[in-house]
Amino acid sequence: MKKIIVTLLILFTGPAFAAEFYEAPTDVPEQFLGDREVTFKSATTPVFKRTRLRLKNYLRSRDIKNAQQQQQQQAQESVEAVEGAQIPVAETVQLAVAHEITQSNMKLDADTIEYDDQTGEIYAIGSPVINFVEQGVVLKADVMTYNTNSNILKAYDNVQMIKDGAVMHSDFMQVNTNEETSLVDNMNLVQGNMSVTARNALSHGDKITLNKGVMHTTMTGVTKIQTVFFNRLPERVDFEDDLVELPDAFGSSKYRVKVKDIEIDAKKNHNVMNLKEIEVYSGEKRLFRFPRMRLVAGKDNEYFEGDYPEFGSRRNLGAFFGPGFVFTTPNGAAMKVIPMIVHGGGNLGVGGALKYRGPNNYTEFAYGTSQSRMILRGKQRLDDNFYLQYGSNSYMDDWFMGRNMAKYMAELVYEDGKVIENSFRDGLNLNFKYRGSLGAMQDGDINRRYEDIETTKSKTVRFRQMAELYQELFEYRNSDKQFFVQGGLVMQGSAAIYGMRGYNGDHGAQFIGRVGPRLRTQYKRWLQEVTYYQSAYYDNTPMPLYDLYRYGRSTVSLQELLWLHDKLLVGWRGSINLSNDVVSRQPIMECRFYVAMGPEQMRFSLGYDLIREQTYFDVSMALNTKDSGIEFDKMEIKNADRLSSKESEQITVWEENVPMVKSKMKYAEVLDIEDPDKERIGG
């Protein structure tokens, strides 16, 4: 019933068409404001957080119920105390006339309403407004008609449909509530950072069709969208938020995408999008064309996957290339199957990979005949800052200890951080980061480039605590000259204990502390970060191939980025040992190259890690002006009312700091007034 009224607004105001719909945060904030209770979808909430909030909710609701009982008892006592007393009542009552169309649960209000008994037609002029009570939608126009026999509503000129702050403008709207069909001409909707226009929008049952339309961002800043390939490019710089904005950094060309047909099928737990004849333009120049693409996204865009091909190189797999095929699972996750041709160790072979992406899990699995090794890497989010990472023959994140490879490993990790603003003086902050982990692992059996470490094949448990303090000491920026410099002092520490009582694993310990100055600079399109570390450490790890401290007592760490052209960016990240006390045969302990080609609006990035012998590839897009957008000939949406809703259990959480004090009782007398001139139409 009247699905176009609600689903058009759901389509463009829900998360599925937010400005960053490829990758978006999935955390549920715990700062509850406004109403006493807050609900969220349990299916997309990590299991530990779900359990924690349910327990918290139980304890809070118990306290609130006790407080409510206390307040009710106080209210009863107050009522008994004032029983029989005279309570003044205001004598002035303002009357209002409401014209109701009760058959369709709509309320109509206008300056002039005329009713034709013979045709059953209602004519409303003079700022007519219809309130769809159940849907929470308000409809305005210059003129409206409603036929009580056919249940057809028509709105003419300056039509506005309003729901939850979103306003859709059009020239004409017709809604047939009997046949559940709707028509909107010259639609224009602006919500948040997105704007959608279409020549017309048609609705029939559970399907909506938009013809000749454009979706674009209304932002003047930059929104980045990045795909997630099987071998992702690691972060490039750590201080992008501090940089001076470059007014000409992204060029002046307008980026837009043309798509002939967009088909969206809103499933129960995910959305499937099929795009046909995709063309990407920079200004009036066509950059490239895709015949088709199938995309799968979560309801809240907590994951995104597409059937694009995958290629690169990876340790223990070799160079690989293969097409991608995306499938959906019953729980709403995306499964991508990638048959591959692989080459490694001088051998050509075949292989395959699987990628699983869900609301809280990302897992990669691959095998190739050229090296006959299975590789696995994954992460399961358990809470906001708590997750499980697991892998086999894959480089895993170990924070400032680098990316390290175990034969196999599974590790619980807790990460958090805090910024103490103006800790040194105004504008200079203290940044604190923490990482605690507990896991089981086996020493690896593959050396990095330039290393000859003997594997111990040790199997053990590791408990590690890591922390970093970075105090900003000075900062200077000159936007006119496009210059920025920041200096500070950084301190890092790590303590690890191996083995545990009752566990048949190798024991050991590792303690690392390092401190040094850090300098971050930007001059026009050249960015760099330089850090010098002076370290002291004790390293008795039973797994030297996996997590030996490789950087020595004196180390320089560098990050460099340079725009050579609007369409060419080069970068390098490295770590150089200065004390000649490392196991490597050369002093360069980290060496990663990065090249990005194309305009910022559509950029292809290629990276290579020389030490780990891996290639990285990704594609990023940026919508940086209000002229950027997606043009389509036809967009068809099935089950549009499901686009931004997940049919799953809802969890209610009570807000914090509910008052537990005595309440002052207020008294009022309610007068039930019936206007004798009230019109009831279509009764």
Side-chain angles (χ1 to χ4, degrees):
M1 182 72 71
K2 303 179 287 296
K3 285 193 175 183
I4 188 70
I5 299 289
V6 179
T7 52
L8 275 176
L9 288 163
I10 289 176
L11 171 61
F12 302 114
T13 61
F17 281 84
E20 297 186 30
F21 69 93
Y22 282 67
E23 293 290 336
T26 60
D27 295 342
V28 180
E30 291 190 52
Q31 185 178 2
F32 305 114
L33 303 176
D35 296 336
R36 171 163 290 187
E37 359 178 75
V38 175
T39 61
F40 58 90
K41 304 178 184 68
S42 65
T44 58
T45 305
V47 59
F48 275 53
K49 182 172 185 176
R50 188 160 65 239
T51 304
R52 172 172 59 85
L53 290 182
R54 278 177 173 153
L55 177 61
K56 180 180 179 181
N57 182 42
Y58 169 75
L59 297 175
R60 290 297 300 162
S61 60
R62 184 187 61 183
D63 294 341
I64 290 171
K65 288 178 181 178
N66 292 337
Q68 289 173 341
Q69 292 175 357
Q70 182 181 359
Q71 290 175 354
Q72 291 173 358
Q73 183 178 357
Q74 294 170 356
Q76 182 64 30
E77 294 174 354
S78 300
V79 169
E80 293 174 356
V82 299
E83 193 173 71
Q86 294 293 329
I87 301 175
V89 180
E91 297 180 356
T92 303
V93 180
Q94 184 176 359
L95 302 180
V97 179
H99 307 278
E100 295 188 2
I101 307 173
T102 58
Q103 182 176 357
S104 300
N105 194 25
M106 299 184 292
K107 292 185 177 180
L108 171 64
D109 193 6
D111 294 340
T112 302
I113 298 178
E114 298 177 358
Y115 179 56
D116 190 327
D117 292 326
Q118 295 182 352
T119 63
E121 196 84 11
I122 300 172
Y123 299 92
I125 59 176
S127 304
V129 177
I130 289 183
N131 183 9
F132 296 87
V133 180
E134 292 183 359
Q135 291 84 1
V137 175
V138 175
L139 182 65
K140 300 179 179 180
D142 290 349
V143 178
M144 290 188 194
T145 66
Y146 180 78
N147 191 288
T148 57
N149 298 322
S150 62
N151 284 330
I152 295 179
L153 167 69
K154 296 180 181 180
Y156 301 86
D157 300 327
N158 299 316
V159 182
Q160 298 181 48
M161 188 168 64
I162 306 168
K163 178 178 171 62
D164 298 332
V167 182
M168 186 183 77
H169 299 268
S170 63
D171 294 339
F172 171 76
M173 176 182 291
Q174 175 178 301
V175 180
N176 187 327
T177 59
N178 288 339
E179 299 180 0
E180 294 190 348
T181 60
S182 304
L183 169 66
V184 179
D185 284 342
N186 295 324
M187 184 194 77
N188 182 13
L189 171 68
V190 177
Q191 167 66 10
N193 297 322
M194 296 299 293
S195 173
V196 182
T197 60
R199 179 178 297 175
N200 56 60
L202 307 172
S203 170
H204 186 274
D206 61 355
K207 183 166 65 175
I208 294 177
T209 302
L210 279 66
N211 295 304
K212 297 295 183 182
V214 180
M215 293 190 301
H216 61 82
T217 176
T218 58
M219 296 170 57
T220 56
V222 176
T223 298
K224 291 187 177 180
I225 299 170
Q226 188 174 31
T227 60
V228 181
F229 283 82
F230 185 68
N231 230 15
R232 291 176 289 175
L233 192 71
E235 304 84 9
R236 297 188 289 276
V237 294
D238 296 328
F239 57 104
E240 290 182 350
D241 293 339
D242 297 323
L243 301 178
V244 175
E245 182 178 356
L246 300 177
D248 61 338
F250 305 108
S252 58
S253 58
K254 299 175 183 178
Y255 160 75
R256 57 196 175 95
V257 177
K258 285 186 176 182
V259 183
K260 184 176 181 180
D261 291 323
I262 302 176
E263 297 178 0
I264 303 174
D265 191 358
K267 304 289 187 179
K268 179 179 179 180
N269 294 313
H270 59 274
N271 298 324
V272 179
M273 291 168 278
N274 289 290
L275 287 70
K276 299 178 181 178
E277 298 187 25
I278 310 156
E279 296 179 329
V280 180
Y281 288 82
S282 179
E284 296 301 320
K285 182 180 179 181
R286 190 175 77 177
L287 300 178
F288 44 82
R289 179 180 180 275
F290 299 107
R292 57 171 296 278
M293 183 173 289
R294 184 171 186 264
L295 309 173
V296 178
K299 291 293 183 181
D300 298 326
N301 305 299
E302 58 273 29
Y303 65 89
F304 168 84
E305 194 57 81
D307 59 359
Y308 44 77
E310 309 253 1
F311 65 92
S313 69
R314 187 159 172 177
R315 197 68 182 269
N316 294 322
L317 182 64
F320 60 87
F321 173 82
F325 304 94
V326 179
F327 303 92
T328 58
T329 64
N331 64 347
M335 177 76 75
K336 186 171 184 178
V337 180
I338 312 161
M340 292 178 173
I341 297 175
V342 295
H343 181 271
N347 300 317
L348 183 66
V350 295
L354 292 175
K355 287 171 59 179
Y356 175 89
R357 298 207 68 196
N360 300 298
N361 184 275
Y362 178 78
T363 301
E364 303 171 342
F365 172 83
Y367 178 83
T369 59
S370 61
Q371 298 195 25
S372 299
R373 279 181 178 263
M374 177 198 74
I375 61 175
L376 173 70
R377 182 175 63 187
K379 178 184 287 189
Q380 173 68 46
R381 195 165 63 94
L382 303 173
D383 207 327
D384 291 342
N385 304 309
F386 187 42
Y387 62 88
L388 169 70
Q389 69 169 357
Y390 47 91
S392 176
N393 296 315
S394 294
Y395 285 107
M396 307 297 295
D397 180 32
D398 227 357
W399 195 12
F400 59 76
M401 295 287 287
R403 300 181 70 86
N404 298 318
M405 182 192 298
K407 183 67 177 177
Y408 67 81
M409 64 88 67
E411 184 177 40
L412 292 168
V413 180
Y414 178 83
E415 295 178 333
D416 205 352
K418 184 178 179 61
V419 177
I420 302 176
E421 297 182 352
N422 308 317
S423 58
F424 186 66
R425 62 178 178 83
D426 289 346
L428 299 178
N429 306 325
L430 176 65
N431 302 271
F432 171 73
K433 297 179 181 178
Y434 167 79
R435 188 181 199 262
S437 61
L438 173 65
M441 52 274 296
Q442 179 179 341
D443 195 21
D445 57 3
I446 299 292
N447 272 284
R448 300 182 185 182
R449 189 189 293 267
Y450 308 121
E451 289 184 352
D452 295 306
I453 303 175
E454 183 98 15
T455 179
T456 63
K457 298 183 180 180
S458 173
K459 302 176 183 178
T460 190
V461 173
R462 184 184 70 182
F463 174 66
R464 172 184 275 174
Q465 302 288 300
M466 305 175 76
E468 177 186 275
L469 283 172
Y470 173 58
Q471 175 62 63
E472 301 167 1
L473 298 178
F474 65 89
E475 181 178 302
Y476 172 79
R477 64 178 63 237
N478 188 323
S479 299
D480 294 334
K481 295 183 178 180
Q482 298 175 6
F483 178 74
F484 164 81
V485 60
Q486 181 190 88
L489 182 68
V490 60
M491 293 174 285
Q492 294 176 338
S494 173
I497 302 296
Y498 301 85
M500 57 189 304
R501 184 173 299 176
Y503 178 81
N504 188 21
D506 295 325
H507 295 253
Q510 182 189 71
F511 301 99
I512 302 163
R514 58 185 194 175
V515 61
R518 173 174 290 168
L519 184 69
R520 294 170 168 174
T521 66
Q522 173 193 1
Y523 179 65
K524 295 186 177 179
R525 300 188 182 187
W526 176 30
L527 318 177
Q528 68 172 340
E529 178 183 275
V530 182
T531 307
Y532 172 76
Y533 294 104
Q534 186 65 41
S535 307
Y537 60 93
Y538 168 80
D539 196 348
N540 186 30
T541 172
M543 301 178 293
L545 205 56
Y546 171 51
D547 67 351
L548 181 75
Y549 181 65
R550 289 173 160 87
Y551 303 104
R553 288 184 171 81
S554 182
T555 307
V556 173
S557 177
L558 303 101
Q559 295 185 71
E560 304 283 344
L561 276 181
L562 177 63
W563 277 273
L564 299 177
H565 186 271
D566 283 342
K567 298 178 177 61
L568 181 60
L569 169 67
V570 296
W572 178 74
R573 175 180 289 197
S575 206
I576 303 173
N577 174 261
L578 304 179
S579 51
N580 196 28
D581 57 352
V582 293
V583 296
S584 175
R585 297 191 299 273
Q586 49 81 42
I588 299 178
M589 308 310 300
E590 297 284 352
C591 185
R592 185 184 306 143
F593 298 96
Y594 166 78
V595 178
M597 296 164 286
E600 181 73 10
Q601 293 90 345
M602 175 65 72
R603 177 159 289 171
F604 295 88
S605 304
L606 184 67
Y608 182 70
D609 190 324
L610 180 68
I611 303 301
R612 295 170 182 82
E613 301 180 88
Q614 293 200 143
T615 302
Y616 304 94
F617 177 72
D618 66 35
V619 177
S620 63
M621 293 181 286
L623 307 179
N624 64 299
T625 72
K626 63 181 181 180
D627 299 311
S628 302
I630 299 176
E631 303 173 14
F632 57 88
D633 290 343
K634 179 181 177 182
M635 179 187 293
E636 185 177 282
I637 306 108
K638 297 179 181 178
N639 305 312
D641 54 335
R642 287 181 172 182
L643 269 175
S644 61
S645 63
K646 186 185 293 289
E647 298 177 13
S648 62
E649 177 189 359
Q650 303 284 319
I651 299 179
T652 300
V653 180
W654 294 87
E655 69 173 349
E656 297 288 349
N657 302 320
V658 175
M660 305 294 285
V661 298
K662 295 182 178 180
S663 301
K664 295 182 179 180
M665 305 303 296
K666 296 183 179 180
Y667 297 88
E669 183 173 337
V670 179
L671 303 180
D672 187 9
I673 300 175
E674 176 69 21
D675 177 17
D677 298 323
K678 178 179 179 180
E679 296 183 33
R680 184 170 296 274
I681 302 174

